[in-house]
Amino acid sequence: LTIGSSEPEPDISIIRGDPKDFFKQHPRTAELVAEVSLTSLELDKEKAFVYAKAEIPVYWLFNLADNVVYVYSKPKDGRYSEFCSLDHTGQIEFNGTLIPLDEIFTR
């Protein structure tokens, strides 16, 4: 992604468009980005500001050390207006699909 002068490299991104749309330039936004964090949690939390500024609707931050996912959504004025954290017993939703977290986090 290219967001202003920043080029974060999310672990997962869902982007609209055809791959050939991005041969000459990186996408400037995404429908969802996700980071998987084991040792860089504080840095990955700071990325929420970058993604919110780009108006990316949803940012998932998987904290592997604690088996928790942080869900940031509804960007407004450069910040996410909604936040929740879910442990391995919860589920996350994207585009009507529910994803059980116990299938992601192994104990």
Side-chain angles (χ1 to χ4, degrees):
L1 293 172
T2 298
I3 301 171
S5 62
S6 178
E7 289 197 333
E9 296 178 355
D11 294 314
I12 299 168
S13 59
I14 297 176
I15 298 167
R16 289 192 187 273
D18 190 283
K20 63 186 166 199
D21 295 339
F22 308 112
F23 284 165
K24 295 187 187 232
Q25 67 180 12
H26 291 128
R28 299 202 179 280
T29 192
E31 297 299 308
L32 174 139
V33 293
E35 297 284 357
V36 179
S37 183
L38 183 59
T39 60
S40 59
L41 185 61
E42 292 309 311
L43 174 65
D44 292 332
K45 284 181 178 180
E46 290 297 317
K47 289 181 184 178
F49 296 108
V50 174
Y51 297 140
K53 185 176 180 180
E55 297 188 6
I56 295 171
V58 180
Y59 172 38
W60 293 342
L61 174 52
F62 292 90
N63 175 350
L64 298 183
D66 297 322
N67 286 345
V68 173
V69 63
Y70 305 118
V71 179
Y72 300 83
S73 59
K74 298 190 179 174
K76 183 177 181 181
D77 300 325
R79 295 185 175 272
Y80 284 105
S81 62
E82 292 191 10
F83 170 83
C84 70
S85 61
L86 303 164
D87 68 15
H88 70 280
T89 63
Q91 56 188 3
I92 51 179
E93 181 270 335
F94 182 72
N95 260 5
T97 300
L98 293 175
I99 303 164
L101 292 173
D102 64 355
E103 291 183 11
I104 295 173
F105 294 118
T106 57
R107 300 183 132 236

